[in-house]
Amino acid sequence: MALRVSEYFYSIQGEGITMGVPAVFIRLQGCNLLCESKDWICDSIEVWKKGEKIDSEEFADGITNLYGDKLKQGAHLIFTGGEPMNQQKGIVEFLDAFYAINKFCPFVEIETNGTKVLTNDMIESVDLINCSPKLSNAGMPLSRTIKHDSLKQINEFPNSIFKFVIAEHEDILEVKQIIKDVGLEAR
């Protein structure tokens, strides 16, 4: 199994409840959405369109060599994209290989648009799901961006957060309707 990787780097988480936490970001190639509208455009599109296919075990070894000490000291490992849930099998294999090499698992965050149902293996491998469903202000119909089954699954995950990009008052109304339709609960 392999991962299609666009880039990886060490930085600080800049959003969500783990904002300020040191992190190793792995940006995976590809996305099932193309967010582009008058209000905003995907901030990582130029990066996730590019990348290379890397064997999961080889990549785990490389990440260990570059960032293993930082991850051992508590830095989070964050899979982002694009849409990382397009590569769930590769992520799980990477994490298994990382554990085999290092004998520990770092804190794993997934940044997702919430359109993909997570496999059981993926759910067992993740510590935090950081979900940012796309509203119609992303330039696509809600029938494409809002998937009730996957959002409900993420909402049931004990450690998940939801973030929405709000550009206008109508977006707030849209979020309220999604909360109602999906049954999202504030925690």
Side-chain angles (χ1 to χ4, degrees):
M1 184 61 66
L3 286 170
R4 294 181 329 275
V5 179
S6 293
E7 65 179 349
Y8 47 93
F9 53 93
Y10 177 76
S11 187
I12 303 296
Q13 174 60 293
E15 58 187 33
I17 62 172
T18 58
M19 182 170 36
V21 172
V24 174
F25 287 86
I26 298 176
R27 184 176 311 283
L28 298 180
Q29 184 182 27
C31 189
N32 57 326
L33 302 177
L34 183 57
C35 299
E36 188 171 26
S37 73
K38 66 177 178 62
D39 296 319
W40 62 280
I41 187 168
C42 176
D43 64 349
S44 61
I45 191 169
E46 295 304 319
V47 179
W48 64 250
K49 280 188 169 184
K50 303 172 186 168
E52 63 179 298
K53 194 174 186 177
I54 306 173
D55 176 80
S56 296
E57 292 180 10
E58 177 184 323
F59 189 50
D61 190 51
I63 292 295
T64 296
N65 290 334
L66 289 170
Y67 308 114
D69 288 342
K70 293 189 181 305
L71 291 166
K72 196 171 202 170
Q73 294 167 5
H76 290 191
L77 182 61
I78 301 176
F79 289 92
T80 190
E83 178 49 55
M85 293 302 86
N86 289 338
Q87 300 189 54
Q88 293 182 60
K89 288 181 183 178
I91 291 171
V92 170
E93 186 172 283
F94 168 88
L95 293 170
D96 289 345
F98 185 91
Y99 180 80
I101 294 166
N102 296 285
K103 304 300 182 229
F104 79 95
C105 288
F107 187 96
V108 177
E109 281 187 53
I110 299 293
E111 295 183 342
T112 179
N113 61 30
T115 59
K116 301 287 184 177
V117 171
L118 280 65
T119 64
N120 288 335
D121 287 343
M122 190 77 242
I123 290 170
E124 292 173 8
S125 301
V126 175
D127 296 295
L128 174 65
I129 300 172
N130 189 337
C131 183
S132 183
K134 305 307 176 219
L135 304 175
S136 56
N137 66 19
M140 289 168 288
L142 291 179
S143 61
R144 183 157 178 219
T145 62
I146 302 300
K147 302 297 182 184
H148 291 183
D149 55 343
S150 56
L151 293 177
K152 285 179 182 178
Q153 180 195 40
I154 292 168
N155 188 55
E156 291 170 2
F157 188 79
N159 202 10
S160 60
I161 61 169
F162 289 86
K163 304 177 303 181
F164 296 91
V165 174
I166 305 294
E168 299 177 7
H169 178 73
E170 291 77 28
D171 300 335
I172 295 170
L173 301 176
E174 214 170 273
V175 170
K176 287 181 177 181
Q177 188 62 49
I178 292 166
I179 289 170
K180 180 182 174 190
D181 291 348
V182 175
L184 299 181
E185 297 177 16
R187 293 183 200 146

